[in-house]
């Protein structure tokens, strides 16, 4: 990258010393390709558990790439009738989830799954409830052309962006070319999404950063249930992500309407399995489960406590321990819910770097 940057600098110097050029083209040529490598601060314990933040070899984070991705994430030109951006369904105040049970596409059509939060996904290797995409880049291709989401075509998106005064220069700064294509659009968006890290909840302060006063006694009791009697920690790992990034069936239904992972793999043995979602900022991402069946955390806890369906196909190996439910006492349920609220990270929800650019 350094070589390219130097080369770009030389080219620009030659061009700008050419005094005969017209003022307008000189202004354009001042845009340089000199991307600045960017790293996102994550606490040491995160690296200890899940290693360094990952990205495809051909898409490292740069300041310019992330800035472009931020603009594109909020860009309504991506949708057919210019009314919808990624952020329409992924709202920062909801940890980039959609408070609606089912998101509505530009033509009013409803999807049949709850949108997903976008938190700490840089370490993930499978996306969507059924894991059908392997990278954030691949994932970002889909909503643009999905008929019940942005309902657009990539050639149309590229044409619109190319015809603006701003985007060609921004792509040049980020990727060294003014010729926009869909791959560069999704690369920039993926870079921006990789910066969404959330490690500053009260839970982090208490559990990972050693601040014993960060939780109240009730919240500590709830944490004890989470990792003890409740066995939540079997799948929503306490390490750093509150998920193990695996597809599992937590026993919602005897006859799952949505085949989940099986939709992608075609295997009967995957029927009813869904991505274990992170519980970070969970108090902000209602409604819950892939089909939004639960409106509140009270309902979720009620399910794990009383309503686990052991005859659900491919039920996870951890669920038999639940029997027909954990049968938590009323106080235990309240404590567990209090603990789940400590996973909220206000800094993440209000970080201006993630907000719509001015
Ligand atoms: C109309 C609403 C809607 C729009 C617009 C939308 N999404 Fe989504 N998003 C969803 C839904 C619903 C899911 C879950 C779908 C599924 O699993 O089948 C999802 C899933 C995701 C995931 C997977 C998260 C995970 O943990 O696996 C990511 C990442 C994501 N969207 C990013 C984006 C980006 C980037 C854009 C813009 C290019 C976008 N979304 C536009 C509704 C939307
Ligand atoms: C066997 C693994 C497993 C165990 C144990 C488990 N969960 Fe889950 N959890 C999942 C899976 C898988 C999903 C997504 C299921 C779906 O949507 O179909 C989920 C979803 C959730 C959701 C909804 C998340 C969202 O974004 O919609 C919450 C909240 C939750 N679990 C809390 C808990 C709590 C609290 C416990 C302990 C009482 C627990 N879980 C135990 C696997 C597990």
């Amino acid at each position: 990258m350094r070589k390219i940057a130097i080369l770009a600098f030389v080219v620009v110097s030659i061009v700008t010393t050419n005094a005969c050029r017209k003022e307008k083209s000189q202004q354009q040529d001042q845009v340089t390709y000199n991307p600045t490598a960017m790293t996102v601060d994550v606490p040491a314990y995160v690296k200890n558990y899940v290693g360094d933040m990952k990205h495809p070899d051909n898409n490292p984070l740069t300041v310019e790439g992330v800035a472009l991705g931020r603009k594109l994430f909020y860009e309504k030109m991506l949708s057919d009738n210019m009314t919808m951006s990624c952020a329409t369904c992924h709202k920062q105040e909801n940890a980039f989830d959609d408070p609606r049970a089912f998101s509505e596409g530009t033509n009013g059509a409803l999807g049949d799954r709850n949108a997903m939060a976008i938190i700490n996904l840089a370490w993930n290797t499978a996306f969507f409830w059924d894991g059908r995409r392997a990278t954030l880049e691949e994932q970002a291709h889909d909503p643009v052309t999905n008929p019940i989401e942005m309902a657009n075509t990539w050639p149309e998106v590229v044409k619109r962006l190319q015809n603006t005064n701003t985007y060609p220069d921004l792509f040049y700064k980020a990727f060294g070319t003014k010729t926009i294509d869909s791959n560069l659009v999704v690369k920039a968006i993926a870079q921006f999404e990789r910066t969404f890290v959330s490690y500053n909840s009260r839970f982090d302060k208490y559990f990972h950063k050693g601040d014993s006063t960060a939780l109240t006694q009730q919240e500590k009791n709830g944490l004890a249930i989470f990792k003890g009697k409740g066995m939540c920690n079997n799948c929503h790992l306490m390490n750093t992500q509150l998920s193990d990034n695996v597809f599992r069936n937590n026993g919602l239904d005897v006859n799952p309407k949505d085949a989940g992972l099986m939709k992608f793999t075609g295997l009967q043995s995957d029927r009813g399995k869904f991505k274990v979602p992170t519980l970070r900022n969970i108090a902000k991402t209602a409604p819950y489960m892939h089909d939004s069946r639960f409106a509140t955390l009270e309902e979720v806890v009620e399910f794990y406590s009383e309503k686990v369906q052991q005859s659900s196909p491919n039920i996870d190996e951890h669920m038999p321990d639940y029997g027909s439910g954990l049968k938590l006492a009323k106080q235990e349920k309240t404590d567990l819910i209090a603990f789940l609220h400590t996973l909220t990270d206000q800094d993440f929800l209000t970080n201006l770097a993630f907000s719509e650019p001015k």
Side-chain angles (χ1 to χ4, degrees):
M1 190 188 294
R2 190 112 143 258
K3 265 195 200 136
I4 299 173
I6 293 168
L7 192 69
F9 176 70
V10 172
V11 171
V12 172
S13 325
I14 293 168
V15 167
T16 46
T17 49
N18 181 347
C20 305
R21 291 186 71 103
K22 287 192 196 114
E23 206 177 293
K24 185 174 169 245
S25 61
Q26 246 186 21
Q27 263 171 10
Q28 275 171 4
D29 290 331
Q30 276 165 9
V31 179
T32 55
Y33 176 53
N34 189 7
T36 320
M38 179 172 168
T39 46
V40 178
D41 273 344
V42 290
Y45 62 84
V46 177
K47 292 185 191 174
N48 292 342
Y49 282 115
V50 288
D52 283 327
M53 180 181 279
K54 296 173 183 60
H55 59 74
D57 288 345
N58 66 1
N59 197 24
L61 295 197
T62 65
V63 172
E64 294 78 5
V66 169
L68 173 59
R70 179 179 173 194
K71 203 165 152 62
L72 289 166
F73 189 87
Y74 288 94
E75 181 53 75
K76 292 185 172 153
M77 274 192 269
L78 264 52
S79 64
D80 60 347
N81 61 5
M82 314 237 193
T83 58
M84 181 174 286
S85 70
C86 306
T88 308
C89 302
H90 297 282
K91 294 189 192 306
Q92 182 177 7
E93 66 263 34
N94 299 105
F96 297 100
D97 203 343
D98 191 341
R100 299 169 295 181
F102 301 112
S103 315
E104 203 178 304
T106 54
N107 56 8
L110 284 186
D112 57 0
R113 286 182 179 165
N114 185 211
M116 304 172 84
I118 307 179
I119 310 168
N120 301 345
L121 290 184
W123 289 267
N124 269 219
T125 50
F127 300 92
F128 287 124
W129 284 107
D130 53 16
R132 64 188 181 275
R133 293 292 176 233
T135 63
L136 282 170
E137 284 80 358
E138 282 181 27
Q139 191 286 328
H141 266 286
D142 292 3
V144 170
T145 53
N146 188 329
I148 55 170
E149 294 187 345
M150 295 166 135
N152 210 341
T153 67
W154 274 109
E156 177 62 25
V157 172
V158 167
K159 193 173 85 194
R160 287 180 191 172
L161 298 175
Q162 196 76 65
N163 286 341
T164 59
N165 291 327
T166 44
Y167 275 109
D169 284 351
L170 295 176
F171 277 83
Y172 188 73
K173 283 185 184 170
F175 299 113
T177 174
K178 291 189 182 186
T179 309
I180 299 171
D181 71 31
S182 60
N183 289 322
L184 297 181
V185 173
V186 299
K187 274 185 172 182
I189 291 177
Q191 283 190 38
F192 177 53
E193 290 175 305
R194 287 194 178 97
T195 67
F196 294 4
V197 300
S198 173
Y199 296 111
N200 212 16
S201 65
R202 287 197 291 119
F203 158 75
D204 289 275
K205 288 175 187 155
Y206 175 80
F207 193 75
H208 291 297
K209 301 176 187 171
D211 176 358
S212 60
T213 63
L215 299 192
T216 65
Q217 190 52 49
Q218 181 181 30
E219 291 159 351
K220 289 177 191 170
N221 296 344
L223 168 59
I225 294 164
F226 188 88
K227 59 178 182 173
K229 183 175 180 182
M231 295 174 279
C232 314
N233 181 36
N234 283 345
C235 305
H236 302 285
L237 296 185
M238 303 288 290
N239 60 21
T240 54
Q241 313 300 22
L242 277 302
S243 157
D244 57 3
N245 194 26
V246 172
F247 294 78
R248 301 181 184 277
N249 177 358
N250 61 347
L252 290 171
D253 297 301
V254 177
N255 273 313
K257 259 205 293 186
D258 186 331
L261 183 62
M262 180 187 164
K263 270 195 179 165
F264 168 52
T265 64
L267 300 172
Q268 276 295 337
S269 56
D270 287 335
R271 180 161 175 242
K273 292 183 184 172
F274 292 87
K275 183 172 183 172
V276 175
T278 182
L279 299 186
R280 289 188 167 280
N281 299 295
I282 194 69
K284 300 290 173 184
T285 66
Y288 301 108
M289 305 296 167
H290 67 274
D291 56 4
S292 297
R293 66 181 60 197
F294 301 132
T296 61
L297 287 173
E298 282 71 14
E299 289 177 38
V300 171
V301 168
E302 197 60 26
F303 156 72
Y304 283 109
S305 179
E306 321 292 335
K307 295 176 187 154
V308 172
Q309 302 295 321
Q310 288 293 349
S311 53
S312 186
N314 310 305
I315 185 133
D316 193 82
E317 57 181 358
H318 296 300
M319 297 310 288
D321 299 337
Y322 280 64
S324 58
L326 296 165
K327 308 282 188 269
L328 297 175
K330 197 162 174 247
Q331 186 63 50
E332 291 175 318
K333 291 179 189 169
T334 321
D335 294 352
L336 180 56
I337 292 163
F339 167 69
L340 293 173
H341 279 265
T342 71
L343 299 171
T344 301
D345 175 354
Q346 282 304 337
D347 293 348
F348 179 76
L349 302 171
T350 56
N351 188 339
L352 286 178
F354 305 153
S355 64
E356 182 163 9
K358 293 277 167 329

